[in-house]
C-alpha cells in the first residue's frame, strides 16, 4: 500500500488589501485569514504610524484601529504576516494600503460630485465648512493648496447654481463669506507655522 501524507497548506489572508479613512475620523479595519487545516495561527505587522494600533485576536483574525489627524494625511503601507504556530515555515504576507484622506482630497471629491441641481444647499455649505475645520492642524502648504481648490469649488458651485437665480443669492453670499473667513484664518495659521 502507498501512504500519502496530507499536504499542510500555508494560511492566507482573505480580508481586503486597500482601505481608506478621513482624517479626524475613527478607523477600524478587521483582518481575516483562512487555513485549510484550521491550524492555530498568529498575525503580525510591520512598523505602524503613531496613530494606528494593532491587535491579534488569537483566532486567525486581527484589528487595526486609530484616529488619524491632519498631519497623517497621505498613504500608509503596512505588511501583514500570518504564520502557523506549529509550523513557522508556513506563512503568507499581505501588503495593506491605507489612504488617509486629508482636507484637500476631501474637497476634490466634493468638487467632482457637485450635484447638477442641489436640493439641500445648507448641507452643501456645511460640508465645505466642515472641511475647512479639518485644517486646524494642517501646515502652511496644505492651507495654500486647500485655498486654491476652495476658490475653484466656490466658482463651480456658483456656475452650477446659476448666479442669476435670486433664491440662491444668499447661498453664494455665504460661500463668499466662508472664503473670506478662510483666507483670514489661513494667514493666521500661516504665521503660526513660520
Amino acid at each position: 500500500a502507498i501512504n500519502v501524507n496530507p499536504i499542510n497548506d500555508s494560511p492566507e489572508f482573505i480580508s481586503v488589501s486597500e482601505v481608506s479613512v478621513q482624517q479626524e475620523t475613527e478607523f477600524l479595519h478587521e483582518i481575516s485569514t483562512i487555513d485549510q487545516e484550521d491550524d492555530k495561527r498568529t498575525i503580525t505587522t510591520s512598523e505602524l504610524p503613531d496613530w494606528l494600533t494593532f491587535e491579534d485576536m488569537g483566532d486567525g483574525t486581527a484589528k487595526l484601529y486609530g484616529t488619524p489627524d491632519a498631519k497623517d494625511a497621505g498613504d500608509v503601507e503596512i505588511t501583514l504576516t500570518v504564520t502557523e504556530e506549529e509550523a513557522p515555515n508556513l506563512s503568507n504576507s499581505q501588503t495593506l494600503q491605507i489612504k488617509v484622506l486629508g482636507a484637500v482630497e476631501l474637497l476634490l471629491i466634493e468638487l467632482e460630485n457637485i450635484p447638477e441641481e442641489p436640493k439641500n444647499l445648507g448641507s452643501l455649505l456645511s460640508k465645505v465648512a466642515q472641511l475647512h475645520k479639518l485644517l486646524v492642524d494642517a501646515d502652511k502648504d496644505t492651507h495654500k493648496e486647500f485655498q486654491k481648490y476652495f476658490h475653484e469649488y466656490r466658482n463651480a458651485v456658483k456656475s452650477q447654481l446659476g448666479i442669476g437665480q435670486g433664491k440662491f443669492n444668499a447661498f453664494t453670499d455665504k460661500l463668499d463669506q466662508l472664503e473670506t473667513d478662510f483666507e483670514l484664518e489661513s494667514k493666521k495659521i500661516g504665521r503660526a507655522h513660520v
Side-chain angles (χ1 to χ4, degrees):
I2 299 174
N3 291 325
V4 178
N5 293 322
I7 297 173
N8 190 358
D9 295 314
S10 298
E12 296 179 354
F13 286 94
I14 55 174
S15 44
V16 297
S17 60
E18 293 184 13
V19 290
S20 64
V21 59
Q22 296 182 14
Q23 65 176 66
E24 314 296 343
T25 302
E26 198 172 301
F27 171 77
L28 171 64
H29 176 58
E30 296 182 339
I31 300 159
S32 303
T33 65
I34 191 170
D35 184 80
Q36 296 300 327
E37 297 77 32
D38 203 24
D39 292 325
K40 194 167 177 58
R41 50 205 181 274
T42 302
I43 303 171
T44 55
T45 179
S46 57
E47 189 175 347
L48 300 174
D50 293 341
W51 65 272
L52 207 50
T53 299
F54 173 80
E55 187 177 350
D56 184 355
M57 307 308 291
D59 59 356
T61 68
K63 292 180 180 179
L64 277 168
Y65 55 91
T67 304
D69 59 28
K71 73 179 189 320
D72 300 312
D75 295 331
V76 178
E77 189 174 285
I78 296 163
T79 301
L80 301 170
T81 303
V82 57
T83 307
E84 280 195 18
E85 288 190 4
E86 300 298 323
N89 61 312
L90 295 177
S91 67
N92 251 315
S93 294
Q94 180 190 66
T95 300
L96 176 66
Q97 302 272 359
I98 303 175
K99 187 171 186 64
V100 180
L101 300 170
V104 171
E105 289 87 358
L106 292 172
L107 185 68
L108 287 174
I109 291 171
E110 283 298 311
L111 194 60
E112 291 172 1
N113 293 300
I114 296 173
E116 289 185 14
E117 295 181 7
K119 292 181 172 58
N120 188 341
L121 303 183
S123 173
L124 203 58
L125 184 65
S126 71
K127 279 185 181 178
V128 182
Q130 185 180 9
L131 297 178
H132 176 194
K133 288 177 183 175
L134 291 177
L135 290 172
V136 172
D137 298 323
D139 58 27
K140 192 174 180 181
D141 289 340
T142 302
H143 269 265
K144 285 181 179 177
E145 189 175 3
F146 185 89
Q147 193 166 356
K148 180 182 74 172
Y149 287 118
F150 182 88
H151 186 74
E152 186 180 335
Y153 179 89
R154 185 202 66 174
N155 290 339
V157 170
K158 277 189 171 183
S159 172
Q160 204 71 273
L161 297 179
I163 297 174
Q165 301 177 54
K167 64 180 179 178
F168 292 131
N169 285 348
F171 175 72
T172 53
D173 286 347
K174 284 181 181 177
L175 270 180
D176 287 339
Q177 185 59 52
L178 188 58
E179 183 171 31
T180 301
D181 293 345
F182 176 75
E183 286 173 357
L184 292 173
E185 187 172 329
S186 185
K187 286 174 184 174
K188 180 175 67 179
I189 293 177
R191 286 197 296 270
H193 281 273
V194 171

